[in-house]
Amino acid sequence: MTSSSSPSQDAKRTAHAYPEGLRADALMEEDVAWSHEIDGERDGEQFDRSERAALRRVVGLSTELEDVTEVEYRQLRLERVVLVGVWTTGTVQDADNSLAELAALAETAGALVLDGVIQRRDKPDAATYIGSGKALELRDIVMETGADTVICDGELSPGQLIQLEDVVKVKVIDRTALILDIFAQHAKSREGKAQVALAQMQYMLPRLRGWGQSLSRQMGGGRGGLATRGPGETKIETDRRRIREKMAKMRREIADMKTGREIKRQERRRNKVPSVAIAGYTNAGKSSLLNRLTGAGVLVENALFATLDPTVRRAETPSGRLYTLADTVGFVRHLPHHLVEAFRSTMEEVGDSDLILHVVDGSHPVPEEQLAAVREVIRDVGATGVPEIVVINKADAADPVVLQRLLRVEKRSIAVSARTGQGIAELLALIDEELPRPEVEVEALVPYTHGKLVARAHTEGEVISEEHTAEGTLLKVRVHEELAADLAPYTPVSAA
């Protein structure tokens, strides 16, 4: 893919098939050929995989004596799309990588990418995003390829969308609408669906359009008599008011669900259970890592944003300390701010954690860009003060030079492979070392009749030594103040 910066090479296009190498960089390689025999041990039971790939029967559509069977949703409707980007800063390779990621997003949403073009400009055109002349060239490309949709690599204003559609004569969407569509397909929990719906309404509100009677005035206008006195709302104004009412209702519902999530977090804090959050770029292998560490059985798929709903699992350090491990929604460059706001309650899992495992794809051509994009969102949710371990995943497929560069630049980092298990033992030991430790060291001789205290010492504290004597269990543990007070009556005379 090249830019159209020179007159002789204006709007050069990619080959008819989008470059496989670039697209593969944006996608996760470790599950292209997933099989139960090879990968079942690593990823556990893939409960969502069979459901997502299964045939779904649609009742009541058939005009024959037999019913109609619907294929898997990505095969149901493959929109034929042309990608267009504006290269304003950076190198041509940066622009190519950005459009390659857009191609991966389009394929995840269920589209067939036919072509891609880049326009070199100082800034996007205020009217048609790429300029009037290039918009006409884009129309020729659309007609030549038979595309039915144009996807722009950026967030377009309502005016840009309308004017570009007027020129190319097909549907035009932007990067934000594409990501919202993927989220709408993959959200499964009640909270996830509500968050996506809120983000979609926030995006659509300024982009409502009206034609014909939609712009005419409604009957009404206050307390006037008969047929009312003055012009009332237009149809489009009525639609906007209804959307605002729905958004207010959705925010209240999300706030109620946030309360339930907060109660669970408070319960974990009350029990002094440390929490670890897995954050990272989409498709970096977060779900694969969670499955490798806990056997959670979370869906692992070669697609962007394959899993949206956070998963919390119980885990144990090599020394026997319990902690929770939470998989969070993936991030991406230029993540729409609508999604950041809507998913804020979910992303708070990161801010409330004791440790962040920042997963980055070591096989990506520019992993530093992924690190920067994720850290920008982490700053937005106020989690900059949480300790961070950079986990460089896919070490088995990464360039050794890139691995060494990342390990040298990121002081608290480790290279692992969720696929092969490389580095997992070292990662568990590092988590054990980095998790906050109880502050009080206690020695106690607990009678056998008070076994619950011994159990609490194991679950809530760190057992340094344990010995069973004739009088009871002699413990040397590091615990929090509340448990230390409960163990104080059993301090041995010699220790006192």
Side-chain angles (χ1 to χ4, degrees):
M1 183 181 308
T2 59
S3 71
S4 53
S5 54
S6 64
S8 61
Q9 295 181 342
D10 280 352
K12 279 196 174 182
R13 289 167 280 154
T14 60
H16 187 71
Y18 203 82
E20 190 64 31
L22 280 177
R23 192 161 62 238
D25 289 336
L27 291 173
M28 181 170 62
E29 299 176 357
E30 59 187 61
D31 289 298
V32 173
W34 193 95
S35 68
H36 182 77
E37 294 78 8
I38 298 174
D39 300 320
E41 181 180 352
R42 180 185 86 241
D43 293 327
E45 293 295 332
Q46 295 286 287
F47 303 114
D48 290 344
R49 180 178 296 277
S50 57
E51 178 185 341
R52 185 171 289 185
L55 296 176
R56 299 195 300 273
R57 184 169 295 277
V58 180
V59 180
L61 294 183
S62 177
T63 57
E64 302 290 338
L65 295 179
E66 296 179 355
D67 204 350
V68 175
T69 299
E70 179 186 273
V71 297
E72 195 265 349
Y73 75 93
R74 289 193 193 153
Q75 306 299 329
L76 182 61
R77 53 171 187 85
L78 288 180
E79 290 190 45
R80 300 163 61 84
V81 303
V82 171
L83 310 180
V84 57
V86 172
W87 170 26
T88 56
T89 59
T91 65
V92 65
Q93 186 62 43
D94 294 336
D96 286 350
N97 289 337
S98 181
L99 212 63
E101 184 175 88
L102 187 68
L105 287 167
E107 290 183 352
T108 301
L112 179 63
V113 178
L114 302 178
D115 214 337
V117 295
I118 297 175
Q119 166 66 14
R120 184 72 166 98
R121 298 181 62 92
D122 293 333
K123 61 181 180 179
D125 182 66
T128 60
Y129 183 64
I130 55 175
S132 57
K134 292 297 179 287
L136 292 173
E137 292 182 25
L138 179 62
R139 182 187 64 184
D140 295 338
I141 295 171
V142 169
M143 294 177 63
E144 177 187 334
T145 58
D148 50 37
T149 303
V150 170
I151 304 179
C152 298
D153 191 17
E155 183 166 340
L156 273 61
S157 68
Q160 287 173 323
L161 280 171
I162 293 173
Q163 293 190 55
L164 190 55
E165 277 188 355
D166 287 343
V167 176
V168 299
K169 306 302 181 184
V170 295
K171 180 174 68 174
V172 176
I173 64 173
D174 57 16
R175 183 187 181 95
T176 299
L178 180 61
I179 294 175
L180 287 171
D181 182 79
I182 297 172
F183 271 56
Q185 290 183 38
H186 292 175
K188 300 194 69 175
S189 68
R190 179 169 170 259
E191 183 175 10
K193 290 178 180 179
Q195 289 167 330
V196 172
L198 176 60
Q200 286 178 317
M201 285 187 285
Q202 286 178 309
Y203 174 78
M204 289 302 301
L205 184 60
R207 292 170 173 82
L208 288 179
R209 307 180 192 181
W211 293 277
Q213 291 187 351
S214 295
L215 294 177
S216 62
R217 295 289 175 179
Q218 305 292 303
M219 295 290 286
R223 294 179 293 176
L226 298 179
T228 72
R229 295 290 188 260
E233 290 180 313
T234 61
K235 177 67 166 56
I236 195 170
E237 289 170 342
T238 304
D239 291 341
R240 284 175 178 155
R241 176 168 49 81
R242 287 174 177 170
I243 288 179
R244 290 190 187 98
E245 291 171 355
K246 287 183 180 179
M247 288 171 58
K249 180 182 178 182
M250 201 69 69
R251 288 193 180 97
R252 289 193 296 269
E253 291 179 359
I254 292 175
D256 292 340
M257 288 182 276
K258 177 184 175 182
T259 302
R261 188 180 295 276
E262 181 62 29
I263 289 174
K264 292 178 183 178
R265 283 199 290 260
Q266 288 177 357
E267 184 68 17
R268 293 198 293 267
R269 285 196 291 265
R270 187 179 66 82
N271 292 327
K272 306 297 181 182
V273 179
S275 62
V276 178
I278 301 177
Y281 211 79
T282 180
N283 240 359
K286 298 184 300 300
S287 297
S288 294
L289 184 64
L290 178 69
N291 289 338
R292 172 64 76 173
L293 294 176
T294 67
V298 175
L299 174 72
V300 175
E301 191 167 10
N302 183 31
L304 305 182
F305 299 113
T307 50
L308 292 183
D309 303 316
T311 303
V312 180
R313 291 291 185 269
R314 172 176 164 171
E316 188 174 322
T317 66
S319 64
R321 300 170 62 199
L322 293 178
Y323 66 97
T324 60
L325 197 61
D327 183 19
T328 61
V329 63
F331 305 140
V332 72
R333 279 179 297 182
H334 313 302
L335 189 67
H337 66 275
H338 311 294
L339 283 174
V340 175
E341 289 301 318
F343 277 78
R344 185 169 294 275
S345 62
T346 301
M347 293 176 181
E348 283 174 358
E349 292 284 356
V350 178
D352 289 342
S353 63
D354 297 297
L355 179 66
I356 296 175
L357 297 185
H358 185 165
V359 183
V360 60
D361 182 358
S363 65
H364 191 272
V366 193
E368 290 85 356
E369 291 184 1
Q370 292 192 351
L371 287 167
V374 174
R375 282 170 175 159
E376 182 180 349
V377 180
I378 288 177
R379 283 194 299 271
D380 289 343
V381 297
T384 52
V386 182
E388 174 191 71
I389 297 175
V390 176
V391 182
I392 309 168
N393 194 23
K394 307 182 188 177
D396 55 324
D399 184 343
V401 176
V402 175
L403 276 182
Q404 291 301 320
R405 185 177 75 233
L406 286 174
L407 290 171
R408 183 176 63 252
V409 173
E410 300 293 337
K411 301 305 179 185
R412 301 170 67 185
S413 59
I414 183 171
V416 306
S417 171
R419 180 178 179 83
T420 65
Q422 172 190 342
I424 295 299
E426 292 81 358
L427 175 60
L428 287 171
L430 188 57
I431 292 173
D432 196 358
E433 180 182 334
E434 294 292 337
L435 280 177
R437 297 183 178 275
E439 60 275 11
V440 183
E441 187 173 314
V442 176
E443 188 174 344
L445 181 61
V446 183
Y448 291 118
T449 55
H450 292 71
K452 287 185 177 180
L453 281 176
V454 178
R456 285 183 61 194
H458 278 277
T459 56
E460 301 176 21
E462 181 181 357
V463 177
I464 301 173
S465 65
E466 182 178 12
E467 181 184 350
H468 299 288
T469 67
E471 294 80 14
T473 304
L474 182 60
L475 289 174
K476 188 174 183 181
V477 293
R478 190 181 296 276
V479 294
H480 52 83
E481 294 181 357
E482 182 181 345
L483 183 52
D486 294 339
L487 290 171
Y490 305 105
T491 304
V493 176
S494 57

